[in-house]
Amino acid sequence: MHATSSSRPPIVVLCGSTRFWEQFAEATLYETAAGRIVLAPGCNLRQPHPLWATPEKADRVKRMLDTLHLRKIDLADDVLVVNPGGYIGDSTRREIAYARRLGKPIRYTHPADGSDHD
């Protein structure tokens, strides 16, 4: 565990496709056990729910969640990309690019192709 200037535990944000919901849970477990505060997607739009039951609702929620996730990246000390099989989709690529612009260290749960690695 690395120290932070405020002597709080480091904050990690998990990025990746929610198709890997179970792997997010596993990454949360390991990162928490390592003493980190974990920020992760809080909604899985791939699972049916009344909050995103119509296309209009789903579109509105997705836009809000995308913006919210960027704010989580703002708060985080580093980023962990959950990418089983090396998969990184367009939304995650945008999040990685955003994190890089902010100078956030980026880790991956699985090897990624060279275009996404630091």
Side-chain angles (χ1 to χ4, degrees):
M1 181 167 72
H2 63 276
T4 60
S5 59
S6 65
S7 73
R8 65 158 167 73
I11 299 172
V12 61
V13 62
L14 306 183
C15 295
S17 172
T18 56
R19 73 181 64 185
F20 304 123
W21 199 251
E22 290 179 16
Q23 291 87 344
F24 271 101
E26 189 75 358
T28 297
L29 173 70
Y30 276 93
E31 293 296 306
T32 300
R36 296 180 186 96
I37 297 168
V38 179
L39 302 177
C43 299
N44 183 356
L45 298 182
R46 295 173 185 275
Q47 298 292 321
H49 193 279
L51 287 175
W52 49 85
T54 67
E56 297 78 20
K57 287 180 179 180
D59 186 55
R60 188 172 54 250
V61 170
K62 172 139 181 35
R63 284 194 316 270
M64 184 273 302
L65 292 175
D66 288 347
T67 300
L68 184 63
H69 205 70
L70 295 179
R71 300 298 73 83
K72 291 177 182 181
I73 293 170
D74 290 341
L75 291 171
D77 298 308
D78 70 315
V79 173
L80 177 60
V81 179
V82 177
N83 65 322
Y87 177 82
I88 297 176
D90 291 340
S91 293
T92 304
R93 287 182 199 283
R94 283 190 298 275
E95 292 167 356
I96 291 168
Y98 181 76
R100 281 199 178 122
R101 285 194 303 274
L102 295 177
K104 305 285 180 172
I106 301 170
R107 298 179 286 131
Y108 298 81
T109 59
H110 296 77
D113 71 43
S115 67
D116 294 309
H117 250 275
D118 285 2

